Amino acid sequence: VTLHLNPISSVHIHQKPLVFLLNSPLPLVWKLKTERLAPGIRRVFFVSLGSVVQFEKGNFSLSAETEEKFFPEKNEHLLQWAQKEYGAITSFTELKISRNIYIKVGE
């Protein structure tokens, strides 16, 4: 699955830390494609067990962290865990089948 990350239209270059929980019932290769995200900013990708994140060529991966996690099975429990862990959830998306996911990051 390719994850496309771009800032919202009112933000020229996104310069804040990000945390993503990438959960799947089956192990996946998450391919990351980014545009206009500032280098050197901490970005964390938690993936379900057996999954990996592949970064595009460039220095984005130097400031990104990937960690495998055991996630709760049900979405309600996953959301509760994320809110407890991080205090806020700015976006939640559930897809049954997809090859491309487009996410706008920003305020």
Side-chain angles (χ1 to χ4, degrees):
V1 174
T2 302
L3 183 61
H4 301 265
L5 302 178
N6 302 313
I8 58 175
S9 60
S10 61
V11 175
H12 183 63
I13 295 179
H14 189 270
Q15 300 187 41
K16 293 186 178 181
L18 296 169
V19 175
F20 289 90
L21 308 178
L22 304 174
N23 189 23
S24 172
L26 298 172
L28 286 179
V29 175
W30 296 91
K31 296 179 182 178
L32 200 61
K33 300 230 180 235
T34 63
E35 289 182 32
R36 301 183 354 253
L37 300 185
I41 305 294
R42 184 172 185 243
R43 295 178 181 101
V44 182
F45 297 88
F46 290 110
V47 297
S48 46
L49 300 178
S51 295
V52 296
V53 178
Q54 290 181 348
F55 299 97
E56 294 177 287
K57 292 181 181 174
N59 63 359
F60 184 84
S61 63
L62 297 177
S63 59
E65 302 169 33
T66 303
E67 183 179 328
E68 283 186 66
K69 273 264 199 241
F70 177 78
F71 291 121
E73 277 187 43
K74 297 189 180 211
N75 288 336
E76 305 84 48
H77 298 138
L78 178 61
L79 287 167
Q80 289 170 355
W81 175 83
Q83 190 159 17
K84 182 180 172 187
E85 194 76 17
Y86 296 102
I89 299 166
T90 57
S91 178
F92 177 84
T93 304
E94 178 185 18
L95 302 165
K96 298 292 182 193
I97 298 174
S98 183
R99 290 188 177 181
N100 291 282
I101 300 171
Y102 296 86
I103 297 178
K104 298 279 188 187
V105 297
E107 303 300 322

